Amino acid sequence: MRIEASNSVGTVYSKWISVKTWEAAPNALNFTVDKTENGRALLLKWTQPARTNGVLMTYNIYSDGNLEYSGLSQEFLLRRLEPFTVYTLMLEACTAVGCTQTFPHRVQTEEASPVSQPPAQIKTLNATHIQLTWSPPVLPNGKILQYDIIRRFTVDQSLGNRKNIAESVVFRQLNTEIVSFTYTDGGLKPWTDYEYKVRAWNSVGYVDSAWTVGQTSQAPPTFILPPKLFYDTENTNHIFIQWTKPEEDNGKILYYKLRKNNTTLPFNLDYTTLNYTDEDLLPFSEYMYSIIACTLGGCTISDPALIRTLEGPPGAINAPITTAVSATEVNVSWSTPSIPNGEITKYIVRLENETYFAGRRLSIIISNLQPFTTYNVSLVACTNGGCTSSSGTIIRTKEARPSHMKKTTFVVTSAQSIKISWQSPDRPNGEIINYELRRDGLLIYTGLDSHYHDFGLEPGTEYSYTVEASNGQGSCVSSPANIKTQSSSPSGMEPPRLHAKSAHEIMITWRAPLKANGPIVNYTLYVHHPAEMKDIQYTLNSSYTFQNDLSYLIKDLKPYTQYEARVEACTLLGCAVSEWITDRTMEALPESQPAPLINVQKNTQAPLLSWNGPQQPNGKIIRYDVYRRRLNDPQERLTIELVFNGFSLSFQDVDLQPYTEYEYQISEGTSTQQTIHGLKPFTNYSIGVEACTCLTCCSKGPVARLTTLSASPSHQRPPLISHKTSRAVSLRWSAPGSPNGIIQRYEVHMQMACPPSAQTFGELCSEGNLQMKYSGKDESCEVTDLQPFTTYNLRVTSYNSEGSANSDWVQCTTLKETSPLCQALHWLPIAQRLQFKTLTLTYKAIHNLSPPYICDMVSRYLPTRDLRSSQDLLLYSPLISSSHNRIQDFSRASPILWNSLPQHIRLAPTIETFKKNLKTHLFRQAYSLQ
């Protein structure tokens, strides 16, 4: 724009000025729509409005009122649309001032294949029909033209494989206007899985639903073959039944049932079981079997199968009837079995270990038997299925004369007696009712005994004896047997009588034999000592004779010792020996009494005396006398006091003067004791008593068995150290593992060993002399008078009457002992010196005489109530962990040591008094002073 000004003279122009009108909304707007992507998208295109009326800022696309696009492009592809659906589209063009919209444009998308067809709902009607119900697709995407029902099923093949049958359309629904659709599929197989799917069609394509499985109901099985029947060769009363599964199960086989002879057995068989053994059947009988297979749909029975059981052994055979015909023959008869279980083929008669075949007969006579002999007869009946034996029948043949009588046997018991024995005949052929014994044809015995003692015979004479045995049918006589009596010798020698005259002499008195059978040539006395294996013999000729009695004095015997003696009387033709008799010599004074062992205990004025018995007691010790005398004063050495009288082996003398030397002496008494001697060591003996009223009339009493143990002991265990000090050791031990007799005493031997330092560094060292420190019967002792911190070898030796046994050596080192010099100088040991230092520092800390950091380590014990202990100046003792060392920790060690002090030391008024009292207390404690 410009301005023009005119006057009369002329015209003048201004400069041009640009100016623009305001913007307005565009108009004359339109667009086109193209259908693409099978109804899933719409392509919108447009041009600028005929009049933009300003600068176009944006284009907006609305679908059903929703903004789908905003921009300056002149085309837009609208995606994610549903097929066969009407959409309302509108285009909007905008300037800065305003917008212009086209009229709404209704556009329908193209059809597409249906989507999301729901599967059919399946309902089983019976074993051959299934009903299907379905609905339209969720997204039909067009008009549904028809529905197809497609079916398929699978069949089992061999090796467990499954084969799918090809799909087939079994129904087509053309009327699609209804809401719900139903179809019933028939002519199906029972208990079969069928799969169905629904196919929905429109003009574009189709959609299939998922497969749905339907199963027909179960029905009774079909085509069951008859069972197969087999014999059990091992058991004739068993039938093995085998069957196969039905060709068509028509369901799940629940169980099988067995039908026998038109009767169903009262049990079911598992569906996996295809065989059964029927037991307890009757042999040689006909049976009929059928198989019943059952499902939930019902049961089906097979055709029957027939079988006859095999023959079996006969049953119920009665025992045979037997009759003794003679001494060598028996008649056996029987009846047929009540249950033959087949055809009887033969009978067999068994007599003990012999077998007699009778064929099919029902009786038999058995010959050639032994007279008067018991036989067990049984019957065996046989079929083709086996044999059965009856119970046995006992039969005895008749008697016959005995035979084969053996000669008699003899034992010459003396010159005038013979003991005759015989046996029954080898073939008694009956019951022996009598024996007759004849001597030289003279009947001397009749009865049933098989022995006889013939007395009153002449010495040195030969006799002949026969025995005749008789039964109910006759008798038999043995061949003569000759025997000669012995030559005459003395008999009936009584035991001697023993009488102890003194401790070393025994008088032996005896009598002549009851039957001398000739002049006595000599007497021999046998004396047995218990500790010797050989007997002492004293032979006395015939001149050593008295009118009634014979006697002899045995001298040089041991006191209080048991001896055995017997006497032997001899003639020219033999000797007779008496039994042993026992007696003991008198007691004598004991000998070799050992001196007592004296043990002076610390802190006591009463020494303990112990002693062993005398080495030769020579009798029974009834008491010990202990005498005492003083040695310090020569005048008092003559004064002897009896301080103990008793049986104990120890005594503690309490009535003594201090620092006085005493001397003791042991005296003992004696008594008698009964002991059995003279047996062999470690030997079993049987001791019995025989009482006789005459030479042949004797009776024996019960027998006692004894076992001696008199060898040397062995396996002595080493001693155990129960306690030790610096000067003494207490020992205890047990009896040897094999005492081999009565342990009489123990000895403890001691020997000083090489010190450990010499053993460590290989120094030369010689062990000390062997010393006996104890001898006695006790199994414990105390060894005294030892050196402090010294190593000793110790052993125990056990003794019995035959010897001794040594244990192994054991080493023992005595404890250390405080030096007497330290005690004399009043020096405290190291441990007490440490306690002295700790307690002195504690006293200073309590009374604030130490630096503050030490004073703070201790605190007084203040009870919550007013107690007497509050005045005792005690310290608080903190709890101590197991990981702390209470000796190195002053704060923990000082309360323990302080509280253990006596009260008068803790309450000392000054440090000097405290130290004095404390040292005295620790000194007495260290050296065990009162």
PDB file of all heavy atoms in Angstrom, residues 605-607 628 630 641 643 651-658 662 664:
ATOM      1  N   GLN A 605      53.625 -89.657 116.558  1.00  0.00           N
ATOM      2  CA  GLN A 605      54.609 -90.325 117.406  1.00  0.00           C
ATOM      3  C   GLN A 605      54.318 -91.822 117.544  1.00  0.00           C
ATOM      4  O   GLN A 605      54.919 -92.490 118.359  1.00  0.00           O
ATOM      5  CB  GLN A 605      54.599 -89.662 118.813  1.00  0.00           C
ATOM      6  CG  GLN A 605      54.969 -88.172 118.811  1.00  0.00           C
ATOM      7  CD  GLN A 605      56.405 -87.940 118.373  1.00  0.00           C
ATOM      8  OE1 GLN A 605      57.249 -88.810 118.535  1.00  0.00           O
ATOM      9  NE2 GLN A 605      56.662 -86.763 117.795  1.00  0.00           N
ATOM     10  N   ALA A 606      53.338 -92.333 116.754  1.00  0.00           N
ATOM     11  CA  ALA A 606      52.939 -93.741 116.875  1.00  0.00           C
ATOM     12  C   ALA A 606      53.431 -94.505 115.662  1.00  0.00           C
ATOM     13  O   ALA A 606      52.858 -94.367 114.584  1.00  0.00           O
ATOM     14  CB  ALA A 606      51.425 -93.860 117.005  1.00  0.00           C
ATOM     15  N   PRO A 607      54.506 -95.298 115.766  1.00  0.00           N
ATOM     16  CA  PRO A 607      54.974 -96.072 114.608  1.00  0.00           C
ATOM     17  C   PRO A 607      54.034 -97.241 114.330  1.00  0.00           C
ATOM     18  O   PRO A 607      53.376 -97.756 115.227  1.00  0.00           O
ATOM     19  CB  PRO A 607      56.354 -96.556 115.045  1.00  0.00           C
ATOM     20  CG  PRO A 607      56.270 -96.616 116.531  1.00  0.00           C
ATOM     21  CD  PRO A 607      55.373 -95.490 116.963  1.00  0.00           C
ATOM     22  N   ARG A 628      58.593-104.938 123.577  1.00  0.00           N
ATOM     23  CA  ARG A 628      59.282-103.667 123.308  1.00  0.00           C
ATOM     24  C   ARG A 628      60.228-103.355 124.458  1.00  0.00           C
ATOM     25  O   ARG A 628      59.956-103.655 125.622  1.00  0.00           O
ATOM     26  CB  ARG A 628      58.244-102.562 123.177  1.00  0.00           C
ATOM     27  CG  ARG A 628      58.826-101.196 122.865  1.00  0.00           C
ATOM     28  CD  ARG A 628      57.743-100.140 122.906  1.00  0.00           C
ATOM     29  NE  ARG A 628      57.246 -99.958 124.277  1.00  0.00           N
ATOM     30  CZ  ARG A 628      56.104 -99.322 124.589  1.00  0.00           C
ATOM     31  NH1 ARG A 628      55.357 -98.811 123.630  1.00  0.00           N
ATOM     32  NH2 ARG A 628      55.701 -99.205 125.841  1.00  0.00           N
ATOM     33  N   ARG A 630      63.439-100.167 125.445  1.00  0.00           N
ATOM     34  CA  ARG A 630      64.142 -98.946 125.066  1.00  0.00           C
ATOM     35  C   ARG A 630      65.623 -99.230 124.887  1.00  0.00           C
ATOM     36  O   ARG A 630      66.206-100.062 125.566  1.00  0.00           O
ATOM     37  CB  ARG A 630      63.969 -97.861 126.133  1.00  0.00           C
ATOM     38  CG  ARG A 630      62.526 -97.397 126.313  1.00  0.00           C
ATOM     39  CD  ARG A 630      62.471 -96.245 127.267  1.00  0.00           C
ATOM     40  NE  ARG A 630      61.110 -95.843 127.568  1.00  0.00           N
ATOM     41  CZ  ARG A 630      60.772 -94.850 128.388  1.00  0.00           C
ATOM     42  NH1 ARG A 630      61.742 -94.154 128.981  1.00  0.00           N
ATOM     43  NH2 ARG A 630      59.516 -94.549 128.620  1.00  0.00           N
ATOM     44  N   GLU A 641      58.640-105.057 127.679  1.00  0.00           N
ATOM     45  CA  GLU A 641      57.208-104.887 127.873  1.00  0.00           C
ATOM     46  C   GLU A 641      56.445-105.647 126.774  1.00  0.00           C
ATOM     47  O   GLU A 641      56.849-105.632 125.616  1.00  0.00           O
ATOM     48  CB  GLU A 641      56.819-103.407 127.796  1.00  0.00           C
ATOM     49  CG  GLU A 641      57.493-102.542 128.825  1.00  0.00           C
ATOM     50  CD  GLU A 641      57.096-101.083 128.621  1.00  0.00           C
ATOM     51  OE1 GLU A 641      56.055-100.688 129.142  1.00  0.00           O
ATOM     52  OE2 GLU A 641      57.840-100.372 127.901  1.00  0.00           O
ATOM     53  N   VAL A 643      53.472-105.406 124.539  1.00  0.00           N
ATOM     54  CA  VAL A 643      52.623-104.292 124.080  1.00  0.00           C
ATOM     55  C   VAL A 643      51.513-104.767 123.156  1.00  0.00           C
ATOM     56  O   VAL A 643      50.610-103.981 122.835  1.00  0.00           O
ATOM     57  CB  VAL A 643      53.476-103.217 123.375  1.00  0.00           C
ATOM     58  CG1 VAL A 643      54.442-102.587 124.347  1.00  0.00           C
ATOM     59  CG2 VAL A 643      54.216-103.821 122.172  1.00  0.00           C
ATOM     60  N   PHE A 651      50.497-103.655 114.022  1.00  0.00           N
ATOM     61  CA  PHE A 651      50.199-103.037 115.314  1.00  0.00           C
ATOM     62  C   PHE A 651      50.800-101.640 115.329  1.00  0.00           C
ATOM     63  O   PHE A 651      51.925-101.428 114.867  1.00  0.00           O
ATOM     64  CB  PHE A 651      50.778-103.888 116.451  1.00  0.00           C
ATOM     65  CG  PHE A 651      50.828-103.177 117.795  1.00  0.00           C
ATOM     66  CD1 PHE A 651      49.638-102.862 118.449  1.00  0.00           C
ATOM     67  CD2 PHE A 651      52.032-102.805 118.366  1.00  0.00           C
ATOM     68  CE1 PHE A 651      49.680-102.195 119.661  1.00  0.00           C
ATOM     69  CE2 PHE A 651      52.064-102.153 119.561  1.00  0.00           C
ATOM     70  CZ  PHE A 651      50.895-101.828 120.223  1.00  0.00           C
ATOM     71  N   GLN A 652      50.013-100.669 115.809  1.00  0.00           N
ATOM     72  CA  GLN A 652      50.487 -99.285 115.912  1.00  0.00           C
ATOM     73  C   GLN A 652      50.693 -98.961 117.388  1.00  0.00           C
ATOM     74  O   GLN A 652      49.754 -98.986 118.196  1.00  0.00           O
ATOM     75  CB  GLN A 652      49.474 -98.319 115.284  1.00  0.00           C
ATOM     76  CG  GLN A 652      50.021 -96.918 115.159  1.00  0.00           C
ATOM     77  CD  GLN A 652      49.157 -96.051 114.261  1.00  0.00           C
ATOM     78  OE1 GLN A 652      48.035 -96.421 113.978  1.00  0.00           O
ATOM     79  NE2 GLN A 652      49.687 -94.932 113.835  1.00  0.00           N
ATOM     80  N   ASP A 653      51.941 -98.692 117.731  1.00  0.00           N
ATOM     81  CA  ASP A 653      52.330 -98.412 119.116  1.00  0.00           C
ATOM     82  C   ASP A 653      52.191 -96.918 119.362  1.00  0.00           C
ATOM     83  O   ASP A 653      52.886 -96.097 118.752  1.00  0.00           O
ATOM     84  CB  ASP A 653      53.771 -98.875 119.345  1.00  0.00           C
ATOM     85  CG  ASP A 653      54.097 -99.004 120.819  1.00  0.00           C
ATOM     86  OD1 ASP A 653      53.212 -98.711 121.633  1.00  0.00           O
ATOM     87  OD2 ASP A 653      55.230 -99.416 121.135  1.00  0.00           O
ATOM     88  N   VAL A 654      51.267 -96.554 120.244  1.00  0.00           N
ATOM     89  CA  VAL A 654      50.965 -95.135 120.469  1.00  0.00           C
ATOM     90  C   VAL A 654      51.561 -94.604 121.765  1.00  0.00           C
ATOM     91  O   VAL A 654      51.682 -93.387 121.947  1.00  0.00           O
ATOM     92  CB  VAL A 654      49.438 -94.927 120.464  1.00  0.00           C
ATOM     93  CG1 VAL A 654      48.859 -95.281 119.102  1.00  0.00           C
ATOM     94  CG2 VAL A 654      48.760 -95.765 121.529  1.00  0.00           C
ATOM     95  N   ASP A 655      51.905 -95.499 122.679  1.00  0.00           N
ATOM     96  CA  ASP A 655      52.405 -95.055 123.999  1.00  0.00           C
ATOM     97  C   ASP A 655      53.918 -94.999 123.967  1.00  0.00           C
ATOM     98  O   ASP A 655      54.614 -95.849 124.531  1.00  0.00           O
ATOM     99  CB  ASP A 655      51.886 -96.022 125.081  1.00  0.00           C
ATOM    100  CG  ASP A 655      52.209 -95.512 126.482  1.00  0.00           C
ATOM    101  OD1 ASP A 655      52.520 -94.323 126.600  1.00  0.00           O
ATOM    102  OD2 ASP A 655      52.132 -96.333 127.428  1.00  0.00           O
ATOM    103  N   LEU A 656      54.477 -93.997 123.266  1.00  0.00           N
ATOM    104  CA  LEU A 656      55.926 -93.865 123.117  1.00  0.00           C
ATOM    105  C   LEU A 656      56.387 -92.473 123.569  1.00  0.00           C
ATOM    106  O   LEU A 656      55.591 -91.516 123.603  1.00  0.00           O
ATOM    107  CB  LEU A 656      56.343 -94.101 121.672  1.00  0.00           C
ATOM    108  CG  LEU A 656      56.013 -95.480 121.095  1.00  0.00           C
ATOM    109  CD1 LEU A 656      56.446 -95.557 119.647  1.00  0.00           C
ATOM    110  CD2 LEU A 656      56.669 -96.581 121.898  1.00  0.00           C
ATOM    111  N   GLN A 657      57.662 -92.420 123.883  1.00  0.00           N
ATOM    112  CA  GLN A 657      58.286 -91.140 124.239  1.00  0.00           C
ATOM    113  C   GLN A 657      58.883 -90.514 122.989  1.00  0.00           C
ATOM    114  O   GLN A 657      59.392 -91.210 122.116  1.00  0.00           O
ATOM    115  CB  GLN A 657      59.383 -91.361 125.298  1.00  0.00           C
ATOM    116  CG  GLN A 657      58.877 -91.948 126.602  1.00  0.00           C
ATOM    117  CD  GLN A 657      57.937 -90.986 127.316  1.00  0.00           C
ATOM    118  OE1 GLN A 657      58.119 -89.762 127.232  1.00  0.00           O
ATOM    119  NE2 GLN A 657      56.937 -91.532 128.013  1.00  0.00           N
ATOM    120  N   PRO A 658      58.850 -89.178 122.900  1.00  0.00           N
ATOM    121  CA  PRO A 658      59.431 -88.530 121.710  1.00  0.00           C
ATOM    122  C   PRO A 658      60.940 -88.738 121.638  1.00  0.00           C
ATOM    123  O   PRO A 658      61.626 -88.800 122.659  1.00  0.00           O
ATOM    124  CB  PRO A 658      59.064 -87.059 121.889  1.00  0.00           C
ATOM    125  CG  PRO A 658      57.964 -87.043 122.901  1.00  0.00           C
ATOM    126  CD  PRO A 658      58.189 -88.205 123.780  1.00  0.00           C
ATOM    127  N   TYR A 662      63.492 -97.465 120.134  1.00  0.00           N
ATOM    128  CA  TYR A 662      62.901 -98.664 120.703  1.00  0.00           C
ATOM    129  C   TYR A 662      63.312 -99.861 119.870  1.00  0.00           C
ATOM    130  O   TYR A 662      63.633 -99.748 118.687  1.00  0.00           O
ATOM    131  CB  TYR A 662      61.368 -98.571 120.723  1.00  0.00           C
ATOM    132  CG  TYR A 662      60.827 -97.557 121.720  1.00  0.00           C
ATOM    133  CD1 TYR A 662      60.618 -96.242 121.330  1.00  0.00           C
ATOM    134  CD2 TYR A 662      60.539 -97.931 123.028  1.00  0.00           C
ATOM    135  CE1 TYR A 662      60.133 -95.306 122.235  1.00  0.00           C
ATOM    136  CE2 TYR A 662      60.040 -97.009 123.926  1.00  0.00           C
ATOM    137  CZ  TYR A 662      59.836 -95.695 123.534  1.00  0.00           C
ATOM    138  OH  TYR A 662      59.339 -94.782 124.422  1.00  0.00           O
ATOM    139  N   TYR A 664      61.889-103.909 119.017  1.00  0.00           N
ATOM    140  CA  TYR A 664      60.714-104.764 119.119  1.00  0.00           C
ATOM    141  C   TYR A 664      61.102-106.197 118.789  1.00  0.00           C
ATOM    142  O   TYR A 664      62.034-106.461 118.013  1.00  0.00           O
ATOM    143  CB  TYR A 664      59.619-104.309 118.143  1.00  0.00           C
ATOM    144  CG  TYR A 664      59.015-102.972 118.490  1.00  0.00           C
ATOM    145  CD1 TYR A 664      59.558-101.795 117.994  1.00  0.00           C
ATOM    146  CD2 TYR A 664      57.894-102.898 119.315  1.00  0.00           C
ATOM    147  CE1 TYR A 664      59.003-100.568 118.327  1.00  0.00           C
ATOM    148  CE2 TYR A 664      57.329-101.682 119.627  1.00  0.00           C
ATOM    149  CZ  TYR A 664      57.886-100.514 119.137  1.00  0.00           C
ATOM    150  OH  TYR A 664      57.320 -99.314 119.457  1.00  0.00           O
TER     151      TYR A 664
END
